[in-house]
Structure formats: structure tokens, C-alpha cells
Amino acid sequence: MCGFIGYISSKKHSKNSIYEKKFDTYFEFLKNRGPDFQIKKKVITDESLINLGFTRLAIQDLSNKSNQIFMNKKKILLFNGEIYNKSHLYNEYLNNIILKTDTDTEVLFNLLDKYGLKIIQKISGIFSIIFIDLDKNNVFAVKDITGTKPLYYKQEDGNFFFSSEAWYLYSLSKKEINPKALSFYFDFGFTPPGETIIKDVAKVKPAEIVKFDFKLKQLKTEKYFDFELKKQKNLPEQNIINETIKNTIEMNLISDAKIGTFLSGGVDSSTISILAKKYNEKIESFTTFYLPGEKFKKFNVDYDYSKKIAEDFKIKLNVKYILT
């Protein structure tokens, strides 16, 4: 999990000193999302001040050469996530470009630089993206189709703010509660799509592109993907389901860092862990155990199943003991 934070404001805006102070404060808090590398970057144009912060958790390409904000004179990319089909995308669309790193972020930057936001529909992965086009005075905030990675944004006085965590934007807001979103949160444990518990702080929806023109001060949103839910008389054949599950798990194992699974002993986590072991012999699993054991015996049933799965399939099981 990486993280980013930033804003684009008018260069002579009266609150710029306040914005920068809060940016610096919350950038420090964001370092928990990216312990391997942190960087801040300031870009000043004729009319705008752009402050950017990025913190990296290295997954693909663990070398220092990937510790950077990918940018050129016209485009800037902030990225949190993983691109599963990066090799296919490179071979299909970028085979005449020599890359300097092995990270999926560089592939994504070149794709967006060359093809623009239309290429998003070709990407398989989980991600949140901030992409800035300095020539056209546009900033794009984008989420994958499942909305896995967090991305929040806010407008204020014609300025645009964004972050992987909402606290930065809450600090800039009037802190007015959104009653509908708060009620929804109490009922379901999360806020409705596009909303937070604070009125003037929004989150990018799954499969959504939020475009802000920081010259014209205009914001637009669009969906780039919709699930088609159709009733099927005949379910797919079992071998098709099996292959889909296997391919999905295999794609999620693309990493230069160590990989583990959470193992509860249930059907889902057991299937994932067993298949992951097939593709990666070094895979490890993690589970929990509540102490004292006798007192929380009924809560530790999952541990018994996890232990059996780990023993049967020779998976190293790491146990986190929780003293209550």
C-alpha cells in the first residue's frame, strides 16, 4: 500500500500558507502507508501552485531506481496499487519504449502519457491514480472498477485537494457532518459511494474518473466501466470457474516482495492459500489466536482449521496472539 497527498491552488491564493502547513503535517502521517520511500515535490506554473507528496511500499522492483514520482515536463503521475497485466500492456502498446525500471508505475505513466485516460479500460489491477496534465491544466482522479484503493478529494475556492486518507481533507473542511452518510455508516460500517461523513469531502467511486480543470475551475465525473448483471439460465462450466479462480490468484502473486495470505480456515481463504502455494512455494500464511485460550475457545475455532490446512499443505503459518 502506497499513499499520496496533494493540492493544486491558485498561485496567489490567500490561504496558500495554510494549505502548505497542513500538507506538510499530514504528509508525515501518510508515511505509515509507504515506509520504503517518501518524497515531496512542488511544481509552480504561470497561474498555479502544485504540492505533491508520495510514500512508497515497494512491491514490484525493490530497487532505489523506482523510488520516485514518475513525471516529465508535461505530465505527473501519483499511483497506489498494482497493475496485473503490465507485461501484456507493455508488449501491446509500448514495445518501442525502453523502460528504466521494472515497476508497473513506469508502465502506467508511459501508457497515460501516450494514450491518455482512454487506456484505463485496458488495465487489469487495483489502483487509485492522480494524473496531472500541465499543458491542458487538468488533474484526473481515478479508481479501479472495484474501488479497492482509497482516494478522497475536495474543492475549495477553486482549488483542488486529494489524498489517500481523508484526514487531510477533513482538516481543511468546515467539519459539517453529512447525516445521510453517517447514518449509512452506522448501519453498514462504511459510507455510501462517493460520500464521506463530512459534507464537503468526497471519495472517488469505483470505475470513476474525476476531472478537474484548474484553469477554468470546473469539475466533471464519468464512469468508464459498468457491470452488466444478467440472469443466466446456465452457469459456466466448472472448469471455466476453476481456471478463472486460478488465473486471478496467479496474477495477484506478481511481486518482488514477500507475499502472504490471511488464513482463517474457511473455504475462501483456504482455497486462496492452497492455490497460492502451488504458484509460489515460499508463500506464508497469517492467522490470529485470542488469549487466554480457554476463555476465548469459541473464537479460536478458526485457528484450529487454519493450523490443519497449513500442516496438510506445508504452508508456514504465522500466528498473531491477541491478549484481551
Side-chain angles (χ1 to χ4, degrees), residues 278-292:
K278 176 181 177 182
Y279 296 115
N280 184 345
E281 280 292 323
K282 296 181 179 179
I283 203 80
E284 298 182 16
S285 290
F286 296 80
T287 194
T288 57
F289 188 91
Y290 291 91
L291 296 173

Side-chain angles (χ1 to χ4, degrees), residues 170 173-179 196-201:
Y170 289 166
S173 73
K174 297 178 182 178
K175 300 178 178 63
E176 294 182 17
I177 295 294
N178 178 341
T196 72
I197 59 172
I198 300 298
K199 278 186 178 179
D200 55 350
V201 176

Side-chain angles (χ1 to χ4, degrees), residues 119-140:
I119 200 66
I120 290 293
Q121 298 186 38
K122 304 292 184 180
I123 295 173
S124 173
I126 52 174
F127 53 82
S128 61
I129 294 168
I130 290 291
F131 185 64
I132 302 173
D133 187 328
L134 297 172
D135 267 358
K136 296 181 180 179
N137 300 297
N138 289 328
V139 54
F140 301 90

Side-chain angles (χ1 to χ4, degrees), residues 159-177:
N159 303 320
F160 188 76
F161 304 82
F162 52 86
S163 181
S164 296
E165 295 187 357
W167 315 116
Y168 168 55
L169 307 183
Y170 289 166
S171 76
L172 295 166
S173 73
K174 297 178 182 178
K175 300 178 178 63
E176 294 182 17
I177 295 294

Side-chain angles (χ1 to χ4, degrees), residues 27 58-59 92 94 110 143 152 158 179 207 220 223 243 251 268 274 282 313-314 324:
F27 176 75
I59 297 177
E92 183 76 15
L94 302 172
N110 281 282
K143 261 193 181 182
Y152 302 87
K220 297 180 181 179
K223 293 277 283 186
E243 284 303 309
M251 282 195 301
D268 294 347
I274 292 167
K282 296 181 179 179
F313 291 90
K314 296 180 174 56
T324 56

Side-chain angles (χ1 to χ4, degrees), residues 166-258:
W167 315 116
Y168 168 55
L169 307 183
Y170 289 166
S171 76
L172 295 166
S173 73
K174 297 178 182 178
K175 300 178 178 63
E176 294 182 17
I177 295 294
N178 178 341
K180 172 192 166 187
L182 183 61
S183 176
F184 192 98
Y185 176 82
F186 285 144
D187 287 339
F188 301 105
F190 54 92
T191 54
E195 300 182 51
T196 72
I197 59 172
I198 300 298
K199 278 186 178 179
D200 55 350
V201 176
K203 58 184 177 182
V204 182
K205 298 176 184 177
E208 183 177 60
I209 298 174
V210 176
K211 174 186 174 184
F212 182 73
D213 186 318
F214 48 89
K215 184 174 183 178
L216 299 178
K217 313 300 182 185
Q218 294 178 347
L219 186 141
K220 297 180 181 179
T221 64
E222 65 172 284
K223 293 277 283 186
Y224 66 86
F225 181 87
D226 269 313
F227 288 100
E228 292 185 12
L229 300 178
K230 297 180 180 179
K231 289 185 178 180
Q232 288 185 304
K233 293 182 179 179
N234 300 312
L235 292 174
E237 294 181 13
Q238 187 62 48
N239 65 320
I240 296 176
I241 296 173
N242 291 345
E243 284 303 309
T244 301
I245 293 172
K246 290 176 183 177
N247 292 338
T248 301
I249 292 172
E250 188 175 15
M251 282 195 301
N252 275 270
L253 296 175
I254 299 173
S255 173
D256 295 317
K258 292 178 66 176

